[in-house]
Every structure is written in structure tokens, then in C-alpha cells.
Amino acid sequence: MQQSALPPLPGMLVRALPTIVRSGKIADDLTAIEAQFSLDAIRPAHLADYKSQFPGLVSAYPLTYFYLLAQRAHLAAMLDKRFPWPILGMVHVANRMEWLGTLKPEQGFVINVRIELPARASTRKRVRPVYIVDFTQNGHTILRCESTYQVGTGGKTPANRRVRAESLDLSLWQQLDIWQLNASLGRRYARLSGDYNPIHIHPWLSRWFGFNLPIIHGMYSVARMQADLEKQFQSQVTSMDVTFKRPLELPNTAVSHIQKDSGRLMVSDGQGAKTFLEGTFHL
């Protein structure tokens, strides 16, 4: 497999704009798209900026930081002409990250990406490709990020579709923190991540993709959750497996919760009436 340097994210977003005309048609024999990229060692200044945005992190190299690099690998692989769908407007619906080895911070990485395409994807209205990203050093995988995105969806619920009411019993959960999320948060995280997707930063442009207001990046919420966990336990989070239940519009109030014994996590709205994400964690 040919290896190339991992490109920066902002330039790839510009190149993603013309993909809006992609048809969704997939070659019958195409089940996956694979790519391999090289990346220099982590830049200490950028890592410090990341950690300053999430007070509470105790990890020297937070698990969720590596999603910023994995996302670049996702986009670079999706620019392959064989990838059949428009890139902008895809929605992140689930993510799993796990440490599998020991990081050598002075070394760079080889990043292996595999986008698994669902069977009969061309005939489906909504599909969920899975992106598996392995970070390797000296031929050994040290970290894996598995992300699921949905194609063909938006933020608005059709008028004729019933939404199942949630029933949250917060007495079963330990509250960690209350998040006050202002309208400028999407732009601040975009400057950190390089992800200037309009669904996160612009009130008007976000409506083109079906959202009434900008929504915060899903992995911002996961990173904020990791910071709350590490502040609570004063220990490194080694894995997180989350599902994004609904978009978290800005501005907003959200609350982080855990069930310590079962290793479950949840982020709810301020009233405890609905969930934005839920999942599990390990220390």
C-alpha cells in the first residue's frame, strides 16, 4: 500500500466541497477503502492547547486527542474518488477509542485507515460506513479509533415521524459536572481541530444540512467527558465507547453523569429529560 504524509485538515475541507455532486453509486466489488499515512511526532504546543480547553485531563496524552488525527485520516481516505458519497453533511453517530500499547512521544506514526462500506449501500437511503484507524509505531498498533458515520440524514425530524419519549432516572447516576456551552464554542473547537464544517460554526449555513442551530462537534463532548472522568478519578481513561443520541445545539446546558460500578457514562440536557451521548469507559 502506498504511504503518503497525512495532509492538514483545512485544505482537505476545501477539496471536499466538490464531492457534493457524488452520486452514492458503488462498484459491486468494492467492500472497503484502505489508505496509509505517515505523521510526525505530536507537537507539544498543539497538545497543550488541546489540554487547556479541557481542564481536568490528567493523561499526558489524552485518548480523545488522537481523534483529531484520526479525523484527518478519515477525510484523506474519503477524498479517494471511489468513496461514493458527499463528505460534508455526514453525521458522526458512534465512536470507540482504546489504548493498545505504549506511546513513544518522540516518534511519529504510521496511520492505517480502513473504511468498511455496508453491503448493498447503493440501494439504501441511509447507510453507516465504519472507519477503523490504527496508530502504529515500530510495526505495533498502540491505539485504535473506530468511528461510525451516517450518510443521508440531518438534524430535523420529519413531521410524520414519532419520536420515542425518553425516561431518565437520574437517581441511578452520579453527576460529574454541568457544562455551560456558549454559541462561540463550535468556532473555538474548530480552531483547535481544524474542522470548519459549517454544521458546527454558522447559524445559517448549518440549516443547509438540516440543523436549526450549529451543533457542537461530537468529539468535543467526548473529550469533555474524558476530562470530567479524569478529574473525578485522577486516573487515565484507557478506552471510551460512545453513541451520539442526538445533536447538541449551541448555545446549551448539558450535564455529565456516570455509573461507576458498571463503567457507564451519559451526557444529558440540563433538565435531565433527554440524552446527547451515552456509552462506557475504562480506566
Side-chain angles (χ1 to χ4, degrees), residues 89-112:
M90 297 183 69
V91 177
H92 198 183
V93 296
N95 201 82
R96 174 176 171 78
M97 301 190 72
E98 180 179 13
W99 280 108
L100 299 174
T102 301
L103 171 71
K104 294 180 172 59
E106 72 282 358
Q107 293 186 10
F109 307 89
V110 172
I111 301 179
N112 296 300

PDB file of all heavy atoms in Angstrom, residues 89-112:
ATOM      1  N   GLY A  89     -21.677  17.156   5.580  1.00  0.00           N
ATOM      2  CA  GLY A  89     -23.026  16.781   5.971  1.00  0.00           C
ATOM      3  C   GLY A  89     -23.130  15.393   6.565  1.00  0.00           C
ATOM      4  O   GLY A  89     -24.177  15.032   7.119  1.00  0.00           O
ATOM      5  N   MET A  90     -22.052  14.581   6.467  1.00  0.00           N
ATOM      6  CA  MET A  90     -22.064  13.289   7.133  1.00  0.00           C
ATOM      7  C   MET A  90     -22.099  13.502   8.645  1.00  0.00           C
ATOM      8  O   MET A  90     -21.513  14.453   9.166  1.00  0.00           O
ATOM      9  CB  MET A  90     -20.846  12.463   6.736  1.00  0.00           C
ATOM     10  CG  MET A  90     -20.803  12.121   5.261  1.00  0.00           C
ATOM     11  SD  MET A  90     -19.393  11.070   4.826  1.00  0.00           S
ATOM     12  CE  MET A  90     -19.835   9.544   5.637  1.00  0.00           C
ATOM     13  N   VAL A  91     -22.800  12.621   9.356  1.00  0.00           N
ATOM     14  CA  VAL A  91     -23.007  12.802  10.796  1.00  0.00           C
ATOM     15  C   VAL A  91     -22.329  11.674  11.559  1.00  0.00           C
ATOM     16  O   VAL A  91     -22.552  10.493  11.274  1.00  0.00           O
ATOM     17  CB  VAL A  91     -24.516  12.852  11.127  1.00  0.00           C
ATOM     18  CG1 VAL A  91     -24.721  12.975  12.627  1.00  0.00           C
ATOM     19  CG2 VAL A  91     -25.173  14.034  10.417  1.00  0.00           C
ATOM     20  N   HIS A  92     -21.538  12.048  12.537  1.00  0.00           N
ATOM     21  CA  HIS A  92     -20.831  11.098  13.402  1.00  0.00           C
ATOM     22  C   HIS A  92     -21.838  10.510  14.386  1.00  0.00           C
ATOM     23  O   HIS A  92     -22.431  11.246  15.176  1.00  0.00           O
ATOM     24  CB  HIS A  92     -19.731  11.864  14.134  1.00  0.00           C
ATOM     25  CG  HIS A  92     -18.664  11.011  14.732  1.00  0.00           C
ATOM     26  ND1 HIS A  92     -17.626  11.543  15.470  1.00  0.00           N
ATOM     27  CD2 HIS A  92     -18.456   9.670  14.717  1.00  0.00           C
ATOM     28  CE1 HIS A  92     -16.825  10.580  15.867  1.00  0.00           C
ATOM     29  NE2 HIS A  92     -17.315   9.430  15.437  1.00  0.00           N
ATOM     30  N   VAL A  93     -22.040   9.196  14.386  1.00  0.00           N
ATOM     31  CA  VAL A  93     -23.061   8.593  15.243  1.00  0.00           C
ATOM     32  C   VAL A  93     -22.494   7.707  16.347  1.00  0.00           C
ATOM     33  O   VAL A  93     -23.203   7.413  17.323  1.00  0.00           O
ATOM     34  CB  VAL A  93     -24.099   7.804  14.414  1.00  0.00           C
ATOM     35  CG1 VAL A  93     -24.876   8.740  13.502  1.00  0.00           C
ATOM     36  CG2 VAL A  93     -23.453   6.682  13.622  1.00  0.00           C
ATOM     37  N   ALA A  94     -21.252   7.254  16.229  1.00  0.00           N
ATOM     38  CA  ALA A  94     -20.665   6.411  17.274  1.00  0.00           C
ATOM     39  C   ALA A  94     -19.155   6.454  17.163  1.00  0.00           C
ATOM     40  O   ALA A  94     -18.600   6.661  16.075  1.00  0.00           O
ATOM     41  CB  ALA A  94     -21.160   4.969  17.172  1.00  0.00           C
ATOM     42  N   ASN A  95     -18.496   6.236  18.294  1.00  0.00           N
ATOM     43  CA  ASN A  95     -17.041   6.241  18.293  1.00  0.00           C
ATOM     44  C   ASN A  95     -16.500   5.388  19.435  1.00  0.00           C
ATOM     45  O   ASN A  95     -17.007   5.433  20.558  1.00  0.00           O
ATOM     46  CB  ASN A  95     -16.496   7.666  18.449  1.00  0.00           C
ATOM     47  CG  ASN A  95     -15.066   7.787  17.958  1.00  0.00           C
ATOM     48  OD1 ASN A  95     -14.847   7.928  16.755  1.00  0.00           O
ATOM     49  ND2 ASN A  95     -14.104   7.722  18.860  1.00  0.00           N
ATOM     50  N   ARG A  96     -15.472   4.612  19.115  1.00  0.00           N
ATOM     51  CA  ARG A  96     -14.771   3.832  20.124  1.00  0.00           C
ATOM     52  C   ARG A  96     -13.283   4.094  19.989  1.00  0.00           C
ATOM     53  O   ARG A  96     -12.737   4.051  18.876  1.00  0.00           O
ATOM     54  CB  ARG A  96     -15.047   2.335  19.962  1.00  0.00           C
ATOM     55  CG  ARG A  96     -14.214   1.459  20.900  1.00  0.00           C
ATOM     56  CD  ARG A  96     -14.556  -0.019  20.806  1.00  0.00           C
ATOM     57  NE  ARG A  96     -13.606  -0.809  21.553  1.00  0.00           N
ATOM     58  CZ  ARG A  96     -13.594  -0.958  22.875  1.00  0.00           C
ATOM     59  NH1 ARG A  96     -14.532  -0.360  23.600  1.00  0.00           N
ATOM     60  NH2 ARG A  96     -12.693  -1.686  23.479  1.00  0.00           N
ATOM     61  N   MET A  97     -12.614   4.361  21.124  1.00  0.00           N
ATOM     62  CA  MET A  97     -11.174   4.564  21.139  1.00  0.00           C
ATOM     63  C   MET A  97     -10.577   3.747  22.271  1.00  0.00           C
ATOM     64  O   MET A  97     -11.157   3.657  23.352  1.00  0.00           O
ATOM     65  CB  MET A  97     -10.829   6.046  21.311  1.00  0.00           C
ATOM     66  CG  MET A  97     -11.384   6.945  20.219  1.00  0.00           C
ATOM     67  SD  MET A  97     -10.728   8.638  20.300  1.00  0.00           S
ATOM     68  CE  MET A  97      -9.048   8.380  19.734  1.00  0.00           C
ATOM     69  N   GLU A  98      -9.386   3.183  22.023  1.00  0.00           N
ATOM     70  CA  GLU A  98      -8.773   2.320  23.029  1.00  0.00           C
ATOM     71  C   GLU A  98      -7.255   2.325  22.872  1.00  0.00           C
ATOM     72  O   GLU A  98      -6.722   2.211  21.769  1.00  0.00           O
ATOM     73  CB  GLU A  98      -9.295   0.889  22.872  1.00  0.00           C
ATOM     74  CG  GLU A  98      -8.735  -0.096  23.871  1.00  0.00           C
ATOM     75  CD  GLU A  98      -9.292  -1.496  23.701  1.00  0.00           C
ATOM     76  OE1 GLU A  98      -9.923  -1.762  22.649  1.00  0.00           O
ATOM     77  OE2 GLU A  98      -9.117  -2.315  24.626  1.00  0.00           O
ATOM     78  N   TRP A  99      -6.575   2.468  24.009  1.00  0.00           N
ATOM     79  CA  TRP A  99      -5.134   2.279  24.022  1.00  0.00           C
ATOM     80  C   TRP A  99      -4.829   0.796  23.920  1.00  0.00           C
ATOM     81  O   TRP A  99      -5.398  -0.024  24.649  1.00  0.00           O
ATOM     82  CB  TRP A  99      -4.529   2.821  25.318  1.00  0.00           C
ATOM     83  CG  TRP A  99      -4.339   4.307  25.336  1.00  0.00           C
ATOM     84  CD1 TRP A  99      -5.058   5.221  26.050  1.00  0.00           C
ATOM     85  CD2 TRP A  99      -3.343   5.052  24.626  1.00  0.00           C
ATOM     86  NE1 TRP A  99      -4.594   6.489  25.832  1.00  0.00           N
ATOM     87  CE2 TRP A  99      -3.536   6.419  24.958  1.00  0.00           C
ATOM     88  CE3 TRP A  99      -2.323   4.705  23.747  1.00  0.00           C
ATOM     89  CZ2 TRP A  99      -2.735   7.423  24.440  1.00  0.00           C
ATOM     90  CZ3 TRP A  99      -1.528   5.711  23.223  1.00  0.00           C
ATOM     91  CH2 TRP A  99      -1.727   7.058  23.576  1.00  0.00           C
ATOM     92  N   LEU A 100      -3.892   0.432  23.023  1.00  0.00           N
ATOM     93  CA  LEU A 100      -3.493  -0.962  22.850  1.00  0.00           C
ATOM     94  C   LEU A 100      -2.003  -1.178  23.112  1.00  0.00           C
ATOM     95  O   LEU A 100      -1.537  -2.324  23.133  1.00  0.00           O
ATOM     96  CB  LEU A 100      -3.812  -1.434  21.421  1.00  0.00           C
ATOM     97  CG  LEU A 100      -5.290  -1.390  21.026  1.00  0.00           C
ATOM     98  CD1 LEU A 100      -5.446  -1.726  19.555  1.00  0.00           C
ATOM     99  CD2 LEU A 100      -6.107  -2.348  21.881  1.00  0.00           C
ATOM    100  N   GLY A 101      -1.267  -0.107  23.295  1.00  0.00           N
ATOM    101  CA  GLY A 101       0.173  -0.209  23.513  1.00  0.00           C
ATOM    102  C   GLY A 101       0.693   1.044  24.181  1.00  0.00           C
ATOM    103  O   GLY A 101      -0.081   1.879  24.668  1.00  0.00           O
ATOM    104  N   THR A 102       1.987   1.190  24.188  1.00  0.00           N
ATOM    105  CA  THR A 102       2.648   2.311  24.860  1.00  0.00           C
ATOM    106  C   THR A 102       3.173   3.299  23.832  1.00  0.00           C
ATOM    107  O   THR A 102       3.911   2.919  22.904  1.00  0.00           O
ATOM    108  CB  THR A 102       3.807   1.812  25.733  1.00  0.00           C
ATOM    109  OG1 THR A 102       3.288   0.882  26.703  1.00  0.00           O
ATOM    110  CG2 THR A 102       4.466   2.962  26.465  1.00  0.00           C
ATOM    111  N   LEU A 103       2.798   4.546  23.985  1.00  0.00           N
ATOM    112  CA  LEU A 103       3.219   5.604  23.071  1.00  0.00           C
ATOM    113  C   LEU A 103       4.673   5.987  23.312  1.00  0.00           C
ATOM    114  O   LEU A 103       5.103   6.154  24.456  1.00  0.00           O
ATOM    115  CB  LEU A 103       2.328   6.834  23.276  1.00  0.00           C
ATOM    116  CG  LEU A 103       2.749   8.118  22.557  1.00  0.00           C
ATOM    117  CD1 LEU A 103       2.525   7.985  21.062  1.00  0.00           C
ATOM    118  CD2 LEU A 103       1.977   9.316  23.108  1.00  0.00           C
ATOM    119  N   LYS A 104       5.423   6.142  22.236  1.00  0.00           N
ATOM    120  CA  LYS A 104       6.757   6.732  22.272  1.00  0.00           C
ATOM    121  C   LYS A 104       6.612   8.152  21.721  1.00  0.00           C
ATOM    122  O   LYS A 104       6.575   8.362  20.507  1.00  0.00           O
ATOM    123  CB  LYS A 104       7.739   5.908  21.444  1.00  0.00           C
ATOM    124  CG  LYS A 104       8.000   4.519  22.018  1.00  0.00           C
ATOM    125  CD  LYS A 104       8.976   3.738  21.153  1.00  0.00           C
ATOM    126  CE  LYS A 104       9.394   2.435  21.835  1.00  0.00           C
ATOM    127  NZ  LYS A 104       8.244   1.564  22.121  1.00  0.00           N
ATOM    128  N   PRO A 105       6.484   9.152  22.594  1.00  0.00           N
ATOM    129  CA  PRO A 105       6.093  10.501  22.159  1.00  0.00           C
ATOM    130  C   PRO A 105       7.086  11.176  21.231  1.00  0.00           C
ATOM    131  O   PRO A 105       6.714  12.085  20.485  1.00  0.00           O
ATOM    132  CB  PRO A 105       5.948  11.271  23.474  1.00  0.00           C
ATOM    133  CG  PRO A 105       6.738  10.497  24.471  1.00  0.00           C
ATOM    134  CD  PRO A 105       6.652   9.065  24.051  1.00  0.00           C
ATOM    135  N   GLU A 106       8.350  10.751  21.261  1.00  0.00           N
ATOM    136  CA  GLU A 106       9.346  11.385  20.400  1.00  0.00           C
ATOM    137  C   GLU A 106       9.305  10.851  18.973  1.00  0.00           C
ATOM    138  O   GLU A 106       9.955  11.397  18.086  1.00  0.00           O
ATOM    139  CB  GLU A 106      10.749  11.169  20.984  1.00  0.00           C
ATOM    140  CG  GLU A 106      11.287   9.748  20.881  1.00  0.00           C
ATOM    141  CD  GLU A 106      10.712   8.779  21.905  1.00  0.00           C
ATOM    142  OE1 GLU A 106       9.893   9.215  22.748  1.00  0.00           O
ATOM    143  OE2 GLU A 106      11.096   7.595  21.876  1.00  0.00           O
ATOM    144  N   GLN A 107       8.494   9.796  18.744  1.00  0.00           N
ATOM    145  CA  GLN A 107       8.419   9.180  17.423  1.00  0.00           C
ATOM    146  C   GLN A 107       7.133   9.581  16.706  1.00  0.00           C
ATOM    147  O   GLN A 107       6.130   9.914  17.325  1.00  0.00           O
ATOM    148  CB  GLN A 107       8.452   7.650  17.543  1.00  0.00           C
ATOM    149  CG  GLN A 107       9.767   7.079  18.036  1.00  0.00           C
ATOM    150  CD  GLN A 107       9.769   5.565  17.988  1.00  0.00           C
ATOM    151  OE1 GLN A 107       8.873   4.946  17.420  1.00  0.00           O
ATOM    152  NE2 GLN A 107      10.793   4.967  18.586  1.00  0.00           N
ATOM    153  N   GLY A 108       7.189   9.519  15.376  1.00  0.00           N
ATOM    154  CA  GLY A 108       5.994   9.707  14.570  1.00  0.00           C
ATOM    155  C   GLY A 108       5.183   8.418  14.481  1.00  0.00           C
ATOM    156  O   GLY A 108       5.441   7.434  15.195  1.00  0.00           O
ATOM    157  N   PHE A 109       4.200   8.423  13.599  1.00  0.00           N
ATOM    158  CA  PHE A 109       3.271   7.309  13.472  1.00  0.00           C
ATOM    159  C   PHE A 109       3.124   6.888  12.015  1.00  0.00           C
ATOM    160  O   PHE A 109       3.341   7.683  11.105  1.00  0.00           O
ATOM    161  CB  PHE A 109       1.865   7.706  13.952  1.00  0.00           C
ATOM    162  CG  PHE A 109       1.807   8.289  15.322  1.00  0.00           C
ATOM    163  CD1 PHE A 109       1.955   9.647  15.518  1.00  0.00           C
ATOM    164  CD2 PHE A 109       1.595   7.482  16.428  1.00  0.00           C
ATOM    165  CE1 PHE A 109       1.898  10.201  16.781  1.00  0.00           C
ATOM    166  CE2 PHE A 109       1.539   8.014  17.692  1.00  0.00           C
ATOM    167  CZ  PHE A 109       1.681   9.376  17.874  1.00  0.00           C
ATOM    168  N   VAL A 110       2.702   5.662  11.833  1.00  0.00           N
ATOM    169  CA  VAL A 110       2.067   5.238  10.596  1.00  0.00           C
ATOM    170  C   VAL A 110       0.602   5.011  10.941  1.00  0.00           C
ATOM    171  O   VAL A 110       0.276   4.343  11.935  1.00  0.00           O
ATOM    172  CB  VAL A 110       2.700   3.955  10.026  1.00  0.00           C
ATOM    173  CG1 VAL A 110       1.866   3.435   8.848  1.00  0.00           C
ATOM    174  CG2 VAL A 110       4.122   4.236   9.582  1.00  0.00           C
ATOM    175  N   ILE A 111      -0.284   5.607  10.151  1.00  0.00           N
ATOM    176  CA  ILE A 111      -1.722   5.513  10.405  1.00  0.00           C
ATOM    177  C   ILE A 111      -2.355   4.710   9.276  1.00  0.00           C
ATOM    178  O   ILE A 111      -2.276   5.086   8.107  1.00  0.00           O
ATOM    179  CB  ILE A 111      -2.357   6.917  10.489  1.00  0.00           C
ATOM    180  CG1 ILE A 111      -1.702   7.721  11.614  1.00  0.00           C
ATOM    181  CG2 ILE A 111      -3.851   6.813  10.700  1.00  0.00           C
ATOM    182  CD1 ILE A 111      -2.249   9.130  11.750  1.00  0.00           C
ATOM    183  N   ASN A 112      -2.968   3.609   9.654  1.00  0.00           N
ATOM    184  CA  ASN A 112      -3.673   2.757   8.696  1.00  0.00           C
ATOM    185  C   ASN A 112      -5.174   3.004   8.818  1.00  0.00           C
ATOM    186  O   ASN A 112      -5.730   2.947   9.917  1.00  0.00           O
ATOM    187  CB  ASN A 112      -3.376   1.280   8.965  1.00  0.00           C
ATOM    188  CG  ASN A 112      -1.910   0.953   8.754  1.00  0.00           C
ATOM    189  OD1 ASN A 112      -1.383   1.121   7.662  1.00  0.00           O
ATOM    190  ND2 ASN A 112      -1.234   0.507   9.809  1.00  0.00           N
TER     191      ASN A 112
END
